[in-house]
Amino acid sequence: MSTELPARFLERLQLIIPSSQWKPVLASFSSDRPVCFRINPLKTITDQVFDEFKGLGLQPEALPWNPFGYCLPAQARSLLTDSAMFNEGRIYIQGLSSQLAAIILNPQPGETTLDLAAAPGGKTLHIAAMMQNQGQLSAVEPVKNRFFKLRANLERGAASMVRTYLKDGREVGHKVPDRFDRVLLDAPCSSEARIRAGKPESWSHWSEKKIKEVSRKQKRLLHSAILSLKPGGRLLYSTCSFAPEENELVIQAALRKHPEMSVLSVDMPVTNIQPGLSEWSGKALNPEVAKSVRVLPTKQMDGFFLCLLQKKTGP
């Protein structure tokens, strides 16, 4: 196994993952994970979609923590991507870890919500569905081709409440301070959770230099997200990276710069988790950082990091 993954990646990972979980975590990088998806209540009802699944000879397995979430064996992916229900937006293929983001943010109908790094739009669609297309949802993406993919996915998914902006998210907080009830920052990252054993193309862009580069961008994006948040509002920061430089250290920097922010404890609906690290590279971290959550990869789920913050309402 060690020869099937980059050596330095494994060295770093062993400093993060509890020794009791090392073997299953390592095995997860060789697993063919199931194809998971959400039924889109903005376009259909569950019974109608299940009639279509029966026609394809498929029986999806329901998620206990997402009423619209289901999974199928990995080999069913092509059947889904070729199906009318996928191409017409009645379902959206989305990994289990990614589905956690909107669940933890918990946006409500009628609120103002911001998705600050929105493409390709899976989490934006999930938020719009949870808000029942009621309220204001702004989606920001700075890369032109990704922006148009975002818009196409939102249109196909009937997310009519969403306003899209081709804009650098680092500028947003200064332009619309104290605007949003909830903010999602699923930050651009080194995508370590997508590294797969024996597939060098999956880590061709990975390096410690890349981690440092994206960490600088993540800190500026989180600063912008905090500025855009109303007093009392909630902000979810997430990545699909294991690196503390992209996770705990980004939160640590934000708490130092923004004393008006605090980290909320999260009641997670899955058990393959560990608290945020309390130290890294021999340096102790703000105890608040340990309230964040690292989702450990399994045969079903990718690795993920989540931290739910709240802006204080007073001095």
Side-chain angles (χ1 to χ4, degrees):
M1 172 68 74
S2 60
T3 61
E4 297 179 346
L5 290 163
R8 183 57 183 152
F9 170 72
L10 287 174
E11 289 172 9
R12 288 173 51 87
L13 196 62
Q14 280 194 290
L15 299 174
I16 299 167
I17 303 299
S19 57
S20 61
Q21 298 297 317
W22 179 247
K23 286 186 177 180
V25 165
L26 195 58
S28 75
F29 290 96
S30 300
S31 301
D32 286 329
R33 293 193 176 94
V35 55
C36 300
F37 62 93
R38 289 182 295 99
I39 293 175
N40 180 8
L42 302 178
K43 285 288 290 271
T44 190
I45 61 174
T46 301
D47 288 347
Q48 289 177 349
V49 173
F50 266 71
D51 286 341
E52 295 183 67
F53 278 117
K54 287 178 183 178
L56 294 172
L58 299 173
Q59 290 186 310
E61 181 179 346
L63 296 182
W65 46 268
N66 183 353
F68 297 102
Y70 296 84
C71 289
L72 285 163
Q75 57 267 30
R77 177 175 291 272
S78 61
L79 280 175
L80 283 192
T81 56
D82 291 339
S83 69
M85 53 187 160
F86 171 75
N87 288 299
E88 295 171 5
R90 296 195 294 279
I91 66 169
Y92 188 91
I93 295 174
Q94 186 177 28
L96 297 182
S97 298
S98 291
Q99 292 186 39
L100 286 170
I103 297 288
I104 300 304
L105 183 63
N106 195 27
Q108 300 297 307
E111 291 184 333
T112 55
T113 304
L114 170 66
D115 188 344
L116 196 56
K123 297 177 183 70
T124 320
L125 278 168
H126 196 177
I127 291 170
M130 292 180 70
M131 294 178 70
Q132 301 170 26
N133 261 342
Q134 299 174 31
Q136 296 179 10
L137 175 53
S138 299
V140 174
E141 172 57 44
V143 181
K144 187 171 291 188
N145 64 328
R146 288 173 56 82
F147 173 78
F148 288 114
K149 185 174 183 179
L150 164 69
R151 290 188 66 173
N153 281 331
L154 295 175
E155 183 177 354
R156 184 164 54 247
S160 58
M161 68 181 298
V162 185
R163 295 180 180 178
T164 54
Y165 298 89
L166 181 61
K167 186 177 290 294
D168 189 327
R170 291 170 288 190
E171 303 172 2
V172 171
H174 291 286
K175 294 187 175 182
V176 286
D178 300 336
R179 172 71 64 87
F180 298 98
D181 296 301
R182 301 190 197 239
V183 177
L184 172 64
L185 174 55
D186 183 50
C189 69
S190 63
S191 301
E192 290 181 322
R194 295 177 187 145
I195 289 177
R196 308 301 294 154
K199 296 183 178 180
E201 67 276 10
S202 70
W203 67 76
S204 60
H205 298 291
W206 180 86
S207 68
E208 289 180 274
K209 181 181 179 182
K210 173 75 170 179
I211 289 171
K212 291 178 182 177
E213 287 175 358
V214 295
S215 176
R216 288 192 290 270
K217 184 175 185 178
Q218 290 159 346
K219 288 174 182 176
R220 291 182 64 191
L221 281 167
L222 184 52
H223 173 64
S224 177
I226 289 169
L227 293 180
S228 74
L229 190 67
K230 288 180 181 178
R234 293 189 175 191
L235 186 163
L236 183 72
Y237 176 85
S238 64
T239 76
C240 58
S241 174
F242 300 102
E245 295 92 338
E246 302 181 57
N247 296 319
E248 286 93 343
L249 298 189
V250 173
I251 301 301
Q252 167 105 342
L255 293 176
R256 187 183 298 120
K257 190 169 188 175
H258 294 278
E260 73 276 19
M261 299 301 294
S262 60
V263 180
L264 300 178
S265 298
V266 176
D267 185 15
M268 293 291 290
V270 297
T271 58
N272 52 307
I273 57 174
Q274 72 178 81
L277 300 178
S278 58
E279 64 89 24
W280 182 248
S281 294
K283 296 181 180 179
L285 303 179
N286 185 328
E288 285 273 291
V289 174
K291 294 179 184 177
S292 58
V293 177
R294 182 173 277 101
V295 177
L296 300 178
T298 68
K299 292 181 179 180
Q300 291 78 36
M301 297 183 74
D302 289 330
F304 208 61
F305 178 87
L306 305 107
C307 184
L308 185 64
L309 301 113
Q310 186 166 36
K311 182 179 281 189
K312 299 171 184 176
T313 56

